[in-house]
Amino acid sequence: MNKSEMNKSEMNKSEMNKSEIKDLERILANEEELQPTTGFSTRVMRAVREEATATPPIAFPWARFLPGFLLNLGLVFGAAVWMILEPDSSSSLVQVIPTEWFSDPQVQGLLWAALTVVGTGAMAWIASRWVAPRGAASF
Amino acid sequence: MHSNHEDPGDDERIVDRVLAGDIDAFEDIVLRWQAPLLNLAYRFSRDRGLAEEMAQEACLKVFRSLERWRRDAKFSTWMFSVALNHYRTTMRRHIPPNVELGELDAVTWAGDLASEMDAAANDSVVRRAVALLPPKYRDTIVVYYFQQQDVAETAGMLGLRPGTVKARLHRARKLLKTKLRALGHPRAVTTQESER
């Protein structure tokens, strides 16, 4: 038997002949039909009604998120460009605030405390103004 | 399987009612299609309990996506394709990909099998062999026989071209024969002997 005959023989072994296809069709086309258990539709409809009456999920507040996000992105990008174009700019930024202030630890502590209070206040204000529902307590 | 159902226009009318806010009308859809949905799920899972869970979840998914039915296909074709997607996803979680048919049937097939097996057991092995085919062949062969060997309907449900369905059916039968022969299934053994 030459190679092509052997390949043909191998192929025939994996091919289904007509009687096998018929057999397969008999088996797969004549499956016993199952009937749903009693209460199938009741269970589905209960889930459907729950779904229909459920409060829709809160949509992500893109309108509020995007302006702030884009502003921050712009600031970061701007800062990066500025630092690349003016490598010494970081020292000039510090010089805006008198350096002798930082030498006193008490002033340093006060500055940090003030920064924390202002930051927390700003956060609380933003949260109450932009996020809290109407009528909720606000600062 | 499901071709004995009434006018497809009924489905459309019911869907219109549901979309207009009559949620209870969806029960008519459930009652009409619960048995075919369950039977299709069973052909994938071969587990009655799991099939029922899958069919219930499929009904819910159909309800959720009713607005997306574009009406360019029959409601039943669209509904079965929604169900089919759910069944495929579920089966990916339930059947370990490395399960070998031989492992599953080791007990049944041990010893002088040809004499022990009756026709029903043979049929069961063939059906399980189908369930263990690679997903794209399994889906095609399951849907094709579920749709009473209608290539166009099968193609519609699977989102394939009829030619692709025919090619997959051909390949699926070849794979099936190889699997059955590996198990020493009487049908495959007989064929081998007759070829000698």
Side-chain angles (χ1 to χ4, degrees):
Chain A
M1 194 185 286
N2 64 31
K3 203 176 173 183
S4 68
E5 280 173 336
M6 277 170 68
N7 284 344
K8 204 175 168 186
S9 161
E10 273 304 307
M11 212 168 74
N12 284 341
K13 281 182 187 173
S14 60
E15 296 275 353
M16 277 197 173
N17 60 36
K18 276 185 182 170
S19 79
E20 283 175 322
I21 293 174
K22 215 171 163 182
D23 208 16
L24 183 70
E25 282 175 358
R26 177 191 60 77
I27 294 168
L28 297 178
N30 299 310
E31 286 216 39
E32 189 187 348
E33 196 166 342
L34 299 178
Q35 286 305 316
T37 53
T38 48
F40 180 97
S41 62
T42 312
R43 284 192 295 276
V44 171
M45 285 312 292
R46 192 185 305 134
V48 163
R49 285 186 192 104
E50 275 172 19
E51 178 103 6
T53 54
T55 317
I58 299 166
F60 188 81
W62 287 105
R64 287 171 180 176
F65 167 79
L66 271 180
F69 178 74
L70 292 175
L71 185 69
N72 274 305
L73 209 64
L75 282 173
V76 169
F77 182 73
V81 170
W82 187 40
M83 284 172 80
I84 291 165
L85 295 178
E86 295 197 32
D88 294 335
S89 56
S90 55
S91 57
S92 64
L93 189 71
V94 174
Q95 281 163 14
V96 174
I97 305 166
T99 46
E100 60 267 20
W101 286 19
F102 293 102
S103 56
D104 186 348
Q106 278 188 328
V107 175
Q108 264 188 35
L110 274 172
L111 275 172
W112 279 114
L115 196 65
T116 310
V117 169
V118 169
T120 309
M123 291 289 186
W125 180 80
I126 289 167
S128 67
R129 182 154 179 86
W130 285 8
V131 180
R134 285 172 201 278
S138 61
F139 293 92
Chain B
M1 173 65 61
H2 59 268
S3 58
N4 55 348
H5 278 266
E6 310 93 78
D7 177 16
D10 290 349
D11 286 326
E12 197 160 349
R13 278 189 285 277
I14 297 168
V15 171
D16 286 339
R17 280 168 56 202
V18 177
L19 291 177
D22 182 4
I23 304 297
D24 292 338
F26 189 72
E27 191 160 14
D28 293 341
I29 296 273
V30 178
L31 291 171
R32 279 162 77 99
W33 295 107
Q34 57 182 355
L37 285 170
L38 172 68
N39 281 281
L40 181 60
Y42 183 73
R43 287 179 185 216
F44 278 93
S45 66
R46 296 286 156 201
D47 175 327
R48 168 81 208 221
L50 178 60
E52 189 125 345
E53 266 177 45
M54 285 160 67
Q56 282 179 27
E57 189 58 36
C59 287
L60 202 56
K61 282 190 187 292
V62 168
F63 172 74
R64 283 183 197 139
S65 1
L66 270 185
E67 281 177 351
R68 290 205 287 271
W69 174 40
R70 292 198 305 264
R71 302 179 195 231
D72 48 2
K74 278 198 298 182
F75 174 76
S76 59
T77 307
W78 172 82
M79 180 194 66
F80 282 126
S81 65
V82 171
L84 195 59
N85 279 337
H86 173 59
Y87 296 166
R88 284 159 158 172
T89 312
T90 309
M91 292 321 295
R92 272 202 290 274
R93 288 199 303 265
H94 277 82
I95 298 277
N98 58 350
V99 164
E100 287 295 324
L101 193 61
E103 287 172 32
L104 288 172
D105 288 336
V107 179
T108 320
W109 287 91
D112 183 14
L113 302 169
S115 59
E116 287 173 17
M117 300 252 313
D118 58 11
N122 272 341
D123 293 359
S124 163
V125 169
V126 173
R127 285 171 190 144
R128 291 175 68 191
V130 168
L132 290 170
L133 286 173
K136 66 178 182 181
Y137 300 116
R138 175 204 61 196
D139 296 351
T140 311
I141 210 158
V142 164
V143 173
Y144 175 71
Y145 287 104
F146 176 77
Q147 290 286 15
Q148 296 167 328
Q149 297 153 58
D150 184 330
V151 173
E153 275 291 318
T154 305
M157 247 176 93
L158 292 167
L160 298 170
R161 281 185 296 208
T164 311
V165 169
K166 284 179 191 168
R168 285 193 184 176
L169 280 173
H170 182 70
R171 177 82 182 126
R173 286 181 188 128
K174 276 175 81 170
L175 285 171
L176 201 55
K177 185 170 177 181
T178 310
K179 278 197 181 282
L180 291 172
R181 192 198 295 154
L183 286 169
H185 188 275
R187 185 74 226 168
V189 171
T190 313
T191 315
Q192 266 182 295
E193 282 164 358
S194 65
E195 282 166 358
R196 280 180 197 148

Coordinates of all heavy atoms in Angstrom, one line a residue, chain B residues 40-96:
Chain B
L40 N -32.6 22.5 25.3 CA -31.3 22.9 24.7 C -30.2 23.0 25.8 O -29.1 22.5 25.6 CB -31.5 24.3 24.1 CG -30.2 24.9 23.4 CD1 -29.7 24.0 22.2 CD2 -30.5 26.3 22.8
A41 N -30.6 23.5 27.0 CA -29.6 23.5 28.1 C -29.2 22.1 28.5 O -28.0 21.9 28.7 CB -30.3 24.2 29.3
Y42 N -30.1 21.2 28.4 CA -29.8 19.8 28.8 C -28.8 19.2 27.8 O -27.9 18.4 28.2 CB -31.1 19.0 28.9 CG -30.8 17.6 29.4 CD1 -30.4 17.3 30.7 CD2 -30.8 16.5 28.5 CE1 -30.2 16.0 31.2 CE2 -30.6 15.2 28.9 CZ -30.2 15.0 30.3 OH -29.9 13.7 30.7
R43 N -29.0 19.5 26.6 CA -28.1 18.9 25.5 C -26.6 19.4 25.7 O -25.7 18.8 25.3 CB -28.6 19.3 24.1 CG -29.8 18.5 23.8 CD -30.3 18.8 22.4 NE -31.6 18.1 22.2 CZ -31.9 17.6 21.0 NH1 -31.1 17.8 20.0 NH2 -33.1 17.0 20.9
F44 N -26.5 20.6 26.4 CA -25.1 21.1 26.7 C -24.6 20.5 28.0 O -23.5 20.1 28.0 CB -25.1 22.6 26.8 CG -25.0 23.3 25.5 CD1 -26.2 23.7 24.8 CD2 -23.8 23.5 24.9 CE1 -26.1 24.3 23.6 CE2 -23.7 24.1 23.6 CZ -24.9 24.5 23.0
S45 N -25.5 20.4 29.0 CA -25.0 20.1 30.3 C -25.1 18.6 30.7 O -24.3 18.1 31.4 CB -25.7 20.9 31.3 OG -27.1 20.5 31.4
R46 N -26.1 17.9 30.1 CA -26.4 16.5 30.5 C -26.6 16.4 32.0 O -26.3 15.4 32.6 CB -25.3 15.6 30.0 CG -25.1 15.5 28.5 CD -26.2 14.7 27.9 NE -26.4 15.1 26.5 CZ -27.5 14.9 25.8 NH1 -28.5 14.3 26.3 NH2 -27.6 15.3 24.5
D47 N -27.1 17.5 32.5 CA -27.4 17.5 34.0 C -28.7 18.2 34.2 O -28.8 19.4 33.9 CB -26.3 18.2 34.7 CG -26.5 18.4 36.2 OD1 -27.7 18.5 36.6 OD2 -25.5 18.3 37.0
R48 N -29.7 17.5 34.6 CA -31.1 18.0 34.7 C -31.2 19.3 35.5 O -31.8 20.3 35.2 CB -32.0 16.9 35.2 CG -33.4 17.3 35.6 CD -34.3 17.4 34.4 NE -35.3 18.4 34.7 CZ -36.6 18.2 34.4 NH1 -36.9 17.1 33.7 NH2 -37.5 19.1 34.6
G49 N -30.6 19.2 36.7 CA -30.6 20.3 37.7 C -30.0 21.6 37.1 O -30.5 22.7 37.1
L50 N -28.8 21.3 36.6 CA -28.0 22.5 36.0 C -28.8 23.0 34.8 O -28.8 24.2 34.6 CB -26.6 22.0 35.6 CG -25.7 23.0 34.9 CD1 -25.4 24.2 35.8 CD2 -24.4 22.3 34.5
A51 N -29.3 22.1 34.0 CA -30.1 22.6 32.8 C -31.2 23.5 33.2 O -31.5 24.5 32.5 CB -30.6 21.4 32.0
E52 N -31.9 23.2 34.3 CA -33.0 24.0 34.7 C -32.6 25.4 35.2 O -33.1 26.4 34.8 CB -33.8 23.3 35.8 CG -35.1 23.9 36.2 CD -36.3 23.0 36.1 OE1 -36.2 21.9 35.5 OE2 -37.3 23.4 36.6
E53 N -31.5 25.4 35.9 CA -30.9 26.6 36.3 C -30.5 27.5 35.1 O -30.7 28.7 35.1 CB -29.6 26.4 37.1 CG -29.8 26.3 38.6 CD -28.4 26.0 39.3 OE1 -27.4 26.6 38.9 OE2 -28.4 25.1 40.2
M54 N -29.8 26.8 34.2 CA -29.4 27.5 33.0 C -30.5 28.1 32.2 O -30.5 29.3 31.7 CB -28.6 26.6 32.1 CG -27.2 26.3 32.6 SD -26.5 24.8 31.9 CE -26.2 25.2 30.2
A55 N -31.6 27.3 32.1 CA -32.8 27.8 31.3 C -33.5 29.0 32.0 O -33.9 29.9 31.4 CB -33.8 26.6 31.1
Q56 N -33.5 28.9 33.4 CA -34.1 30.0 34.1 C -33.3 31.3 33.9 O -33.9 32.4 33.7 CB -34.2 29.7 35.6 CG -35.4 28.7 35.9 CD -35.4 28.4 37.4 OE1 -34.9 29.1 38.2 NE2 -35.9 27.2 37.7
E57 N -32.0 31.2 34.0 CA -31.2 32.3 33.9 C -31.3 32.9 32.4 O -31.3 34.1 32.2 CB -29.7 32.0 34.2 CG -28.8 33.1 34.3 CD -29.1 34.2 35.3 OE1 -29.7 33.9 36.4 OE2 -28.9 35.4 35.0
A58 N -31.4 32.0 31.5 CA -31.5 32.4 30.1 C -32.8 33.2 29.9 O -32.8 34.2 29.2 CB -31.5 31.1 29.2
C59 N -33.9 32.8 30.5 CA -35.2 33.5 30.4 C -35.0 34.9 30.9 O -35.4 35.9 30.4 CB -36.3 32.9 31.3 SG -36.9 31.3 30.6
L60 N -34.2 35.0 32.1 CA -34.0 36.4 32.6 C -33.1 37.2 31.7 O -33.4 38.4 31.6 CB -33.3 36.2 34.0 CG -33.4 37.3 35.0 CD1 -34.9 37.7 35.3 CD2 -32.7 37.0 36.3
K61 N -32.2 36.6 31.1 CA -31.3 37.3 30.2 C -32.1 37.8 29.0 O -31.9 38.9 28.4 CB -30.1 36.5 29.7 CG -29.1 36.4 30.8 CD -27.8 35.7 30.3 CE -26.8 35.5 31.4 NZ -26.2 36.7 31.9
V62 N -33.0 37.0 28.5 CA -33.9 37.3 27.4 C -34.7 38.6 27.8 O -34.9 39.5 27.0 CB -34.8 36.2 26.9 CG1 -35.9 36.6 26.0 CG2 -33.9 35.1 26.3
F63 N -35.3 38.5 29.0 CA -36.1 39.6 29.5 C -35.3 40.9 29.5 O -35.7 42.0 29.0 CB -36.6 39.3 30.9 CG -37.3 40.5 31.5 CD1 -38.6 40.9 31.1 CD2 -36.7 41.2 32.5 CE1 -39.2 42.0 31.7 CE2 -37.3 42.3 33.1 CZ -38.6 42.7 32.7
R64 N -34.1 40.8 30.0 CA -33.2 42.0 30.1 C -32.8 42.6 28.8 O -32.7 43.8 28.6 CB -31.9 41.6 30.8 CG -32.0 41.5 32.3 CD -30.6 41.2 32.9 NE -30.7 40.6 34.2 CZ -30.0 39.6 34.7 NH1 -29.1 39.1 33.9 NH2 -30.2 39.2 35.9
S65 N -32.7 41.7 27.8 CA -32.3 42.2 26.5 C -33.4 42.3 25.4 O -33.1 42.5 24.3 CB -31.2 41.3 25.9 OG -30.9 40.2 26.7
L66 N -34.6 42.3 25.9 CA -35.8 42.4 24.9 C -35.7 43.6 24.0 O -36.0 43.5 22.8 CB -37.1 42.4 25.7 CG -37.8 41.1 26.0 CD1 -39.1 41.3 26.6 CD2 -37.9 40.2 24.7
E67 N -35.2 44.7 24.6 CA -35.2 45.9 23.7 C -34.1 45.8 22.6 O -34.2 46.6 21.6 CB -34.8 47.1 24.6 CG -35.9 47.6 25.4 CD -35.6 48.8 26.4 OE1 -34.3 49.0 26.5 OE2 -36.5 49.4 26.9
R68 N -33.2 44.8 22.8 CA -32.2 44.7 21.8 C -32.5 43.8 20.6 O -31.8 43.6 19.7 CB -30.9 44.2 22.4 CG -30.2 45.3 23.3 CD -28.7 45.1 23.5 NE -28.5 43.9 24.3 CZ -28.3 44.0 25.6 NH1 -28.5 45.1 26.2 NH2 -28.0 42.9 26.3
W69 N -33.7 43.2 20.7 CA -34.2 42.3 19.6 C -34.5 43.3 18.4 O -35.5 44.1 18.5 CB -35.4 41.5 20.0 CG -36.0 40.7 18.9 CD1 -35.3 40.1 17.9 CD2 -37.3 40.5 18.6 NE1 -36.1 39.5 17.0 CE2 -37.4 39.7 17.4 CE3 -38.5 40.9 19.2 CZ2 -38.6 39.3 16.9 CZ3 -39.7 40.5 18.7 CH2 -39.8 39.7 17.5
R70 N -33.8 43.2 17.3 CA -34.0 44.1 16.2 C -35.1 43.7 15.2 O -35.3 44.4 14.3 CB -32.6 44.3 15.5 CG -31.6 45.0 16.3 CD -30.5 45.5 15.4 NE -29.9 44.4 14.6 CZ -28.8 43.7 14.9 NH1 -28.2 43.9 16.0 NH2 -28.4 42.7 14.1
R71 N -35.6 42.5 15.4 CA -36.7 42.0 14.6 C -36.3 41.7 13.1 O -37.2 41.5 12.3 CB -37.9 43.0 14.6 CG -38.4 43.2 16.1 CD -39.6 44.1 16.2 NE -39.7 44.5 17.6 CZ -40.8 44.4 18.3 NH1 -41.9 44.0 17.8 NH2 -40.8 44.7 19.6
D72 N -35.0 41.7 12.9 CA -34.6 41.2 11.5 C -34.5 39.7 11.5 O -34.4 39.1 10.4 CB -33.3 41.9 11.1 CG -32.2 41.8 12.1 OD1 -32.5 41.2 13.2 OD2 -31.1 42.3 11.9
A73 N -34.5 39.1 12.7 CA -34.6 37.6 12.8 C -35.8 37.3 13.5 O -36.4 38.1 14.2 CB -33.3 37.1 13.5
K74 N -36.2 36.0 13.4 CA -37.4 35.5 14.2 C -37.1 35.7 15.7 O -35.9 35.5 16.1 CB -37.6 34.0 13.9 CG -38.4 33.8 12.6 CD -39.0 32.4 12.6 CE -38.0 31.3 12.6 NZ -38.5 30.0 12.6
F75 N -38.1 35.9 16.5 CA -37.9 36.0 17.9 C -37.2 34.8 18.5 O -36.3 34.9 19.3 CB -39.2 36.3 18.6 CG -39.1 36.3 20.1 CD1 -38.5 37.4 20.8 CD2 -39.4 35.2 20.9 CE1 -38.3 37.4 22.1 CE2 -39.2 35.2 22.3 CZ -38.7 36.3 22.9
S76 N -37.7 33.6 18.0 CA -37.1 32.4 18.5 C -35.6 32.3 18.2 O -34.8 31.9 19.1 CB -37.9 31.2 18.0 OG -37.8 31.1 16.6
T77 N -35.2 32.6 17.0 CA -33.8 32.6 16.6 C -33.0 33.5 17.5 O -31.9 33.1 18.1 CB -33.6 33.0 15.2 OG1 -34.5 32.2 14.4 CG2 -32.2 32.8 14.7
W78 N -33.5 34.7 17.7 CA -32.8 35.6 18.6 C -32.7 35.1 20.0 O -31.7 35.2 20.7 CB -33.5 37.0 18.5 CG -32.9 38.0 19.5 CD1 -31.8 38.8 19.3 CD2 -33.5 38.3 20.8 NE1 -31.6 39.5 20.5 CE2 -32.6 39.3 21.4 CE3 -34.6 37.9 21.5 CZ2 -32.8 39.8 22.6 CZ3 -34.8 38.4 22.8 CH2 -33.9 39.3 23.3
M79 N -33.9 34.7 20.5 CA -34.0 34.2 21.9 C -33.0 33.0 22.1 O -32.3 33.0 23.1 CB -35.4 33.8 22.2 CG -35.6 33.3 23.6 SD -37.2 32.4 23.8 CE -36.9 31.0 22.7
F80 N -33.0 32.1 21.2 CA -32.1 30.9 21.4 C -30.6 31.4 21.3 O -29.8 30.8 22.0 CB -32.4 29.9 20.3 CG -33.6 29.0 20.6 CD1 -34.6 28.9 19.7 CD2 -33.7 28.4 21.9 CE1 -35.7 28.1 20.0 CE2 -34.8 27.6 22.1 CZ -35.8 27.5 21.2
S81 N -30.3 32.4 20.5 CA -28.9 32.8 20.4 C -28.5 33.5 21.8 O -27.4 33.3 22.2 CB -28.6 33.7 19.2 OG -29.3 34.9 19.3
V82 N -29.4 34.2 22.4 CA -29.2 34.8 23.7 C -28.9 33.6 24.7 O -27.9 33.6 25.5 CB -30.3 35.7 24.2 CG1 -30.1 36.1 25.6 CG2 -30.5 36.9 23.3
A83 N -29.8 32.6 24.7 CA -29.7 31.5 25.6 C -28.4 30.7 25.3 O -27.7 30.4 26.3 CB -30.9 30.6 25.4
L84 N -28.1 30.6 24.1 CA -26.9 29.8 23.7 C -25.6 30.5 24.2 O -24.7 29.8 24.8 CB -26.8 29.8 22.2 CG -25.9 28.8 21.5 CD1 -26.2 27.4 21.9 CD2 -26.0 28.9 20.0
N85 N -25.6 31.8 24.2 CA -24.4 32.5 24.7 C -24.3 32.2 26.2 O -23.2 32.0 26.7 CB -24.5 34.0 24.5 CG -24.1 34.4 23.1 OD1 -23.4 33.7 22.4 ND2 -24.6 35.5 22.6
H86 N -25.4 32.2 26.9 CA -25.4 32.0 28.3 C -25.0 30.5 28.6 O -24.2 30.3 29.5 CB -26.8 32.3 28.9 CG -26.9 31.9 30.3 ND1 -26.1 32.4 31.3 CD2 -27.7 31.0 31.0 CE1 -26.4 31.8 32.5 NE2 -27.3 31.0 32.3
Y87 N -25.5 29.6 27.8 CA -25.1 28.2 28.1 C -23.6 27.9 27.8 O -23.0 27.2 28.6 CB -26.0 27.3 27.1 CG -27.4 27.3 27.3 CD1 -28.3 26.8 26.4 CD2 -28.0 27.9 28.5 CE1 -29.7 26.8 26.6 CE2 -29.4 28.0 28.7 CZ -30.2 27.4 27.7 OH -31.6 27.5 28.0
R88 N -23.1 28.6 26.8 CA -21.7 28.4 26.5 C -20.8 28.9 27.6 O -19.9 28.3 28.1 CB -21.3 29.2 25.2 CG -21.7 28.6 23.9 CD -21.7 29.7 22.9 NE -21.6 29.3 21.6 CZ -21.7 30.1 20.5 NH1 -22.0 31.4 20.7 NH2 -21.6 29.7 19.3
T89 N -21.2 30.1 28.1 CA -20.4 30.7 29.3 C -20.5 29.8 30.5 O -19.5 29.5 31.1 CB -21.0 32.1 29.6 OG1 -21.2 32.8 28.4 CG2 -20.1 32.8 30.5
T90 N -21.7 29.3 30.7 CA -21.9 28.4 31.9 C -21.1 27.1 31.8 O -20.4 26.7 32.7 CB -23.4 28.1 32.1 OG1 -24.1 29.3 32.0 CG2 -23.7 27.4 33.4
M91 N -21.1 26.6 30.6 CA -20.4 25.3 30.4 C -18.9 25.5 30.5 O -18.2 24.5 30.9 CB -20.7 24.7 29.0 CG -22.2 24.2 28.9 SD -22.8 23.4 30.4 CE -21.8 22.0 30.5
R92 N -18.4 26.7 30.2 CA -17.0 26.9 30.3 C -16.6 26.8 31.8 O -15.5 26.4 32.1 CB -16.6 28.3 29.8 CG -16.3 28.3 28.3 CD -15.4 29.5 28.0 NE -16.2 30.8 28.0 CZ -16.9 31.2 27.0 NH1 -17.0 30.6 25.9 NH2 -17.6 32.4 27.2
R93 N -17.5 27.2 32.7 CA -17.2 27.1 34.1 C -17.4 25.7 34.7 O -16.8 25.3 35.6 CB -18.1 28.1 34.9 CG -17.8 29.5 34.7 CD -18.4 30.3 35.8 NE -19.8 30.2 35.9 CZ -20.7 31.0 35.3 NH1 -20.3 32.0 34.6 NH2 -22.0 30.8 35.4
H94 N -18.3 24.9 34.1 CA -18.7 23.6 34.7 C -17.9 22.4 34.2 O -17.8 21.5 34.9 CB -20.2 23.4 34.5 CG -21.0 24.1 35.5 ND1 -21.3 25.4 35.4 CD2 -21.5 23.7 36.7 CE1 -22.0 25.8 36.4 NE2 -22.2 24.8 37.2
I95 N -17.5 22.4 32.9 CA -16.8 21.3 32.4 C -15.3 21.6 32.4 O -14.9 22.5 31.7 CB -17.2 20.9 31.0 CG1 -18.7 20.5 31.0 CG2 -16.4 19.8 30.4 CD1 -19.0 19.1 31.4
P96 N -14.5 20.9 33.2 CA -13.0 21.1 33.2 C -12.5 20.9 31.8 O -12.9 19.8 31.2 CB -12.4 20.2 34.2 CG -13.6 19.6 34.9 CD -14.8 19.8 34.1

